[in-house]
Amino acid sequence: MSNTPQNVYVFGVRHHGPGSARSLVRALEHLKPDIILVEGPPDANDMIPFLAREKMKPPVALLVYAREDTSYAAFFPFAVFSPEYQALRYALAHQIPARFMDLPQRHMFRLAEQERERLKAEAEEKQKQAAAGALAPTRAAEGEEPTEEEKVRLDPLGELARAAGYEDGEKWWEHMVEQRQDETGLFDALLEALAAVREKLGELDEKREPLREAYMRKTIREAQAAGHQRIAVVCGAWHAPALHNMPDAQQDTETLATLDNGMDTAATWVPWTNRRLSRWSGYGAGIHSPGWYHYLWTTEEELAIGWLTKVAHLLREERLDASTAQVIDAVRLAETLAAIRGRPMAGLEEFNEAALTVMANGNEVPMNIIAEKLIIGDLMGTVPDGIPMVPLQRDLNMEQTRLRLRQSATATTLKLDLRTPEHLERSQLLHRLRLLHVPWGVKEDIDHNTPGTFREYWSLGWEPEYTIQLIEKSAWGSTIEEAATEYALHVSNETEKIPELTHMVNLAILADLPGAVRHVVKNLGDRVALSGDVKMLMDALPSLAEVYVYGDIRATDVNLVHPIVDSIITRTCISLSTEVAAVNDDAARDLFVSLLSFHEAVMLVDNPQYTRQWYRVLRSIMTQETAHNLIRGRACRLLVEVGEIITEETVRQMRLVLGRLAEPAKAASWLQGFLEGSGLILLHHDELLPVIDKWVVSLDNDRFEALLPLLRRTFASFTESEVKRIGSIVSLPGARRVVQQQQVDIDEKRAASVNPMLDMILGRNENEDDEDNNGDTQ
């Protein structure tokens, strides 16, 4: 049994739509309600009065989170053109009560927790069944598409759109609601249409939706019991039929009786952005064009001329042609398209087509710029002072103001000169936030020639989720400095991994946290003293090397890390020869990467004692037959680069490894280790290339084809110019004569058989080959 409640006026809206908002405001002015109930979290009722503050500038979002576990958090965005925002502003302006009426988030979080536990249990059960071989394939596993009913459940407005001949619900709502010039009967029509869709589909969510709508009806009944005579209910259009025809109160009471007290929650306002309102951000109630909708709501000028003039201004800013005459032609084309399509006015679709044809000359690239900067936009809202915040948030706001750092929705580049006190403090703040996993700033290595010097480059871009991270980290302290220090101490006590500890030392020094530095360094020293993992020690050195060399720029005492650097280098040099013996290909590849970074770190430290020690180890590995050839090859290459061995010694090592008795796979692995990353060594040492050429020619067809992928990967790591220069050298007649002089009994026929493959590897073409042959003949 259901009934239509008296004195209750239900307005079904789209959550972000200027047409809905405009129609709603007019309806409220006509109704003059004495209370407004809005779909939203009752946990945040105390936040509603802040919307009247002058500095509250949408887009903004309500953030509701569980105090006990901030992984349970929800954002509720509001744009200036959101009907809910306009309804709440109307209530505040007319001094009438306004309440949120959706199911409180304390219950939603509890339901989410139960769902998380259920899914975890199901996953564990499936793993057991899979291990036992008793798990039947699911429809998803078989790659089947969702049923039509499932698709409609995900997009109920899309059902109405398809029935009207539109591609999707967005365009249908745009044309039928947002562009509607006469809203008479709009809400009644939507109520009737959605009632029909609901009757066809049933509930979208068998568990949460009945609870949500039961709580909404409970709130409506409470407003009636309080004596309100004109109750305006603003909700998503989908819920309107369920609130217009209400069942008996007893039925809703029984539905809500299944809920417990839920989780303890808190709420606040946070700035939001147009980009986060966009559907492309993954926001479930998102829209395609928040920038366009903002323009529709705020503009008072003629729509077509105003919008296409903005498009022209943007194109000019991007150094693209956009004349006044083109604006006029685009306006005429858009209005003509709208008339042909039988629409009351031109909309975004017509404007885009007109701009593409007239201003962009059919080029999609300018349209991408228009979409990003105008149709979506980069607007970011602001919230007033006095908003409830944890102390850590408040301290960050104070630091941002003091250091003149502004939150922005778009990425901006910040250049810092650490010799300037204010710039140094900015850097320290950004590093402290990095340590707390609040990546507002991302450090960029723009000038690769001056790592760790007094210049830093940061890309700054604020995301609303960083507020949750700050709330989560507020348990560690009430200021950014205190929280970063305590969190660093906590991580260093919990982790056993040496690279993580060295990274934390580096961050703590960059963030100017001397208390954390001393503690983390002590823990790191203890771990290093007990560690037998050579690779872990090697991976730990690069971060410490930068501190060792450049830490003094920040006026920080880094002498604490010197004994650890000494210990890591010494222990690595003692144990590495044993570590590289008898390892498989995967382990060798991992060691290869670590070897490169460790070598760079030793070169950066530039201590004669360490370099002599390291060169002895590289010589030992180079001649160690039990070592993996990938590592042996790189050890030889590194010694050549630092001038520790001369070309004759390099040739001798190469001939030993690439000799006739050598196993081809091991020889190819040595060659990969020696050459990978750069072919310049072959260009600077003329004697090396003939040795490689001779070895390749000596391979039979089967071995050559087996080794070809490895050879291709090696040569693919060279730059294009290196490949061309090597190819030209190989093609020169003189180079061929050098090869011939160093060979005995060359089988010309066998050598010629590999030329096509060799041409592909070295980047030679047929014309070049013909020219070389002509040169030989002459």
Side-chain angles (χ1 to χ4, degrees):
M1 180 179 180
S2 64
N3 65 293
T4 301
Q6 296 180 350
N7 305 326
V8 176
Y9 303 86
V10 180
F11 300 100
V13 298
R14 189 182 185 201
H15 288 303
H16 305 294
S20 293
R22 191 171 285 109
S23 298
L24 177 63
V25 170
R26 290 172 182 168
L28 294 177
E29 290 172 347
H30 176 74
L31 175 63
K32 293 182 172 51
D34 56 8
I35 187 173
I36 298 179
L37 304 179
V38 176
E39 181 182 334
D43 321 61
N45 276 333
D46 292 343
M47 297 295 105
I48 292 176
F50 286 102
L51 290 174
R53 301 282 184 90
E54 183 179 353
K55 291 186 178 180
M56 179 70 82
K57 304 292 184 183
V60 293
L62 274 174
L63 168 60
V64 183
Y65 59 94
R67 296 180 189 272
E68 58 195 82
D69 183 355
T70 54
S71 67
Y72 295 99
F75 290 103
F76 298 87
F78 293 81
V80 69
F81 50 80
S82 299
E84 295 90 342
Y85 173 80
Q86 290 299 326
L88 294 172
R89 288 279 297 178
Y90 177 92
L92 293 170
H94 291 80
Q95 298 182 346
I96 61 175
R99 301 283 185 273
F100 288 122
M101 64 174 180
D102 205 345
L103 184 68
Q105 283 299 300
R106 66 176 185 273
H107 297 308
M108 297 291 282
F109 293 153
R110 184 69 75 197
L111 292 172
E113 180 185 51
Q114 294 168 359
E115 180 69 7
R116 186 182 294 182
E117 292 173 353
R118 183 186 68 81
L119 292 174
K120 181 180 178 181
E122 285 185 358
E124 292 174 352
E125 181 61 27
K126 286 180 179 179
Q127 288 179 349
K128 292 179 182 178
Q129 293 180 15
L135 185 62
T138 62
R139 209 162 43 83
E142 294 169 354
E144 293 185 17
E145 292 291 326
T147 65
E148 286 301 316
E149 183 177 354
E150 288 171 338
K151 291 180 180 178
V152 173
R153 284 173 179 267
L154 295 174
D155 182 19
L157 289 178
E159 179 75 358
L160 293 176
R162 284 185 288 274
Y166 285 81
E167 295 178 2
D168 57 55
E170 178 94 3
K171 288 183 178 179
W172 174 79
W173 191 275
E174 169 85 12
H175 296 151
M176 300 303 296
V177 179
E178 302 305 334
Q179 296 181 6
R180 192 182 184 94
Q181 294 179 331
D182 180 9
E183 68 269 13
T184 304
L186 170 65
F187 294 108
D188 291 339
L190 287 173
L191 181 66
E192 183 178 351
L194 268 298
V197 176
R198 286 184 64 117
E199 185 177 354
K200 175 182 177 181
L201 295 181
E203 296 295 342
L204 287 177
D205 184 324
E206 295 181 357
K207 187 172 184 179
R208 295 191 185 187
E209 293 302 303
L211 288 169
R212 292 180 63 196
E213 292 175 349
Y215 197 93
M216 291 183 197
R217 292 190 290 262
K218 173 176 176 287
T219 306
I220 292 172
R221 295 189 185 100
E222 289 174 350
Q224 288 177 312
H228 294 287
Q229 297 301 309
R230 295 182 304 281
I231 304 172
V233 176
V234 180
C235 62
W238 174 260
H239 299 294
L243 305 185
H244 184 263
N245 296 309
M246 303 207 310
D248 292 336
Q250 181 61 30
Q251 181 177 332
D252 287 339
T253 301
E254 293 173 358
T255 300
L256 296 172
T258 60
L259 299 171
D260 60 17
N261 291 330
M263 298 183 179
D264 185 24
T265 60
T268 187
W269 287 103
V270 297
W272 205 249
T273 66
N274 269 12
R275 182 170 56 83
R276 299 306 298 272
L277 281 171
S278 169
R279 179 168 294 178
W280 310 120
S281 69
Y283 170 40
I287 51 181
H288 290 303
S289 47
W292 161 250
Y293 278 2
H294 186 271
Y295 172 77
L296 285 179
W297 180 262
T298 57
T299 187
E300 296 180 356
E301 57 191 1
E302 204 281 328
L303 189 65
I305 294 176
W307 177 257
L308 289 169
T309 300
K310 287 172 68 71
V311 170
H313 286 164
L314 173 62
L315 294 178
R316 291 169 191 164
E317 290 173 3
E318 299 293 330
R319 300 181 182 277
L320 298 171
D321 291 335
S323 66
T324 303
Q326 286 178 316
V327 173
I328 296 172
D329 289 343
V331 169
R332 290 172 178 170
L333 178 56
E335 292 175 344
T336 301
L337 288 172
I340 292 173
R341 293 166 180 170
R343 295 171 184 170
M345 58 188 295
L348 182 60
E349 184 178 4
E350 286 76 28
F351 293 147
N352 282 344
E353 292 178 13
L356 176 63
T357 303
V358 177
M359 297 180 175
N361 296 317
N363 186 354
E364 291 289 346
V365 174
M367 299 306 298
N368 293 336
I369 298 173
I370 293 169
E372 180 181 352
K373 296 192 174 182
L374 279 185
I375 297 176
I376 294 177
D378 55 8
L379 183 64
M380 182 175 183
T382 60
V383 297
D385 298 332
I387 294 290
M389 295 181 180
V390 296
L392 197 61
Q393 289 176 277
R394 191 170 292 108
D395 182 66
L396 176 59
N397 288 348
M398 292 172 59
E399 288 294 286
Q400 288 172 331
T401 301
R402 183 177 68 85
L403 298 174
R404 294 180 294 175
L405 290 171
R406 187 173 62 87
Q407 293 181 3
S408 173
T410 55
T412 58
T413 299
L414 178 67
K415 301 177 183 179
L416 298 180
D417 182 341
L418 303 184
R419 296 169 297 183
T420 304
E422 184 181 63
H423 285 207
L424 179 60
E425 290 187 67
R426 288 178 177 179
S427 173
Q428 290 166 351
L429 174 64
L430 293 171
H431 281 296
R432 289 169 183 175
L433 291 173
R434 282 181 63 201
L435 194 152
L436 292 170
H437 303 291
V438 182
W440 175 32
V442 177
K443 194 168 180 289
E444 297 181 343
D445 294 327
I446 294 179
D447 190 351
H448 297 283
N449 295 322
T450 56
T453 62
F454 56 83
R455 297 194 184 278
E456 282 185 351
Y457 299 86
W458 294 82
S459 176
L460 301 185
W462 186 262
E463 296 291 346
E465 286 81 1
Y466 299 161
T467 302
I468 297 178
Q469 293 288 349
L470 284 171
I471 293 171
E472 180 182 337
K473 296 302 188 298
S474 64
W476 301 104
S478 57
T479 67
I480 298 296
E481 180 179 3
E482 179 185 353
T485 299
E486 292 300 320
Y487 186 69
L489 300 181
H490 165 73
V491 171
S492 70
N493 290 334
E494 293 295 320
T495 186
E496 297 289 333
K497 297 181 179 179
I498 292 175
E500 290 185 8
L501 285 172
T502 58
H503 178 66
M504 185 59 70
V505 169
N506 198 10
L507 270 182
I509 288 176
L510 295 173
D512 190 28
L513 305 173
V517 171
R518 287 189 291 271
H519 184 87
V520 180
V521 166
K522 180 180 181 303
N523 284 352
L524 176 59
D526 294 342
R527 303 291 194 280
V528 168
L530 298 175
S531 176
D533 190 331
V534 177
K535 184 180 182 304
M536 187 178 292
L537 291 174
M538 295 174 71
D539 292 339
L541 185 62
S543 292
L544 288 178
E546 290 192 11
V547 174
Y548 185 99
V549 176
Y550 299 120
D552 290 338
I553 292 172
R554 296 172 176 273
T556 304
D557 182 11
V558 295
N559 291 324
L560 290 171
V561 306
H562 291 184
I564 299 177
V565 169
D566 181 85
S567 177
I568 289 177
I569 293 178
T570 302
R571 291 168 63 86
T572 299
C573 289
I574 292 173
S575 305
L576 186 58
S577 296
T578 305
E579 186 74 13
V580 300
V583 295
N584 60 30
D585 291 342
D586 291 338
R589 168 52 61 181
D590 290 340
L591 276 172
F592 179 86
V593 175
S594 299
L595 184 78
L596 294 179
S597 59
F598 185 85
H599 175 78
E600 291 177 1
V602 173
M603 296 300 99
L604 182 63
V605 170
D606 195 24
N607 183 308
Q609 175 187 345
Y610 299 151
T611 52
R612 286 195 302 270
Q613 200 174 6
W614 176 235
Y615 294 160
R616 285 197 298 270
V617 174
L618 289 177
R619 279 184 173 274
S620 172
I621 293 173
M622 179 182 69
T623 58
Q624 182 180 338
E625 294 185 0
T626 59
H628 195 284
N629 274 18
L630 182 73
I631 307 298
R632 292 182 64 192
R634 181 50 64 168
C636 182
R637 170 67 176 268
L638 294 177
L639 288 171
V640 174
E641 289 180 344
V642 298
E644 276 295 295
I645 61 175
I646 60 177
T647 303
E648 288 76 8
E649 172 66 11
T650 309
V651 171
R652 191 179 73 84
Q653 290 295 327
M654 187 175 287
R655 285 175 175 169
L656 285 173
V657 176
L658 303 181
R660 289 182 178 274
L661 300 179
E663 184 178 335
K666 290 185 177 180
S669 180
W670 188 97
L671 197 62
Q672 181 186 14
F674 185 81
L675 292 177
E676 185 170 304
S678 173
L680 285 176
I681 194 169
L682 298 180
L683 301 174
H684 294 165
H685 300 270
D686 297 337
E687 299 89 341
L688 300 180
L689 192 56
V691 179
I692 299 173
D693 197 342
K694 178 180 178 180
W695 173 71
V696 172
V697 170
S698 71
L699 297 172
D700 59 40
N701 288 341
D702 291 340
R703 288 183 174 180
F704 180 77
E705 290 182 5
L707 296 178
L708 183 59
L710 181 60
L711 294 173
R712 287 180 66 90
R713 284 199 300 271
T714 301
F715 278 84
S717 67
F718 298 173
T719 65
E720 184 177 352
S721 62
E722 289 172 353
V723 172
K724 287 183 178 179
R725 291 176 63 187
I726 292 171
S728 65
I729 291 173
V730 172
S731 301
L732 290 173
R736 291 185 176 179
R737 283 197 294 273
V738 170
V739 173
Q740 290 173 359
Q741 290 171 4
Q742 297 180 2
Q743 297 186 140
V744 180
D745 298 331
I746 293 179
D747 186 335
E748 296 286 351
K749 185 176 181 180
R750 288 179 61 201
S753 67
V754 303
N755 279 343
M757 285 289 186
L758 207 55
D759 289 340
M760 293 174 59
I761 295 173
L762 298 177
R764 300 192 326 183
N765 58 49
E766 294 180 0
N767 293 332
E768 291 175 344
D769 194 50
D770 291 342
E771 292 174 2
D772 293 342
N773 290 336
N774 293 335
D776 287 342
T777 301
Q778 293 173 355

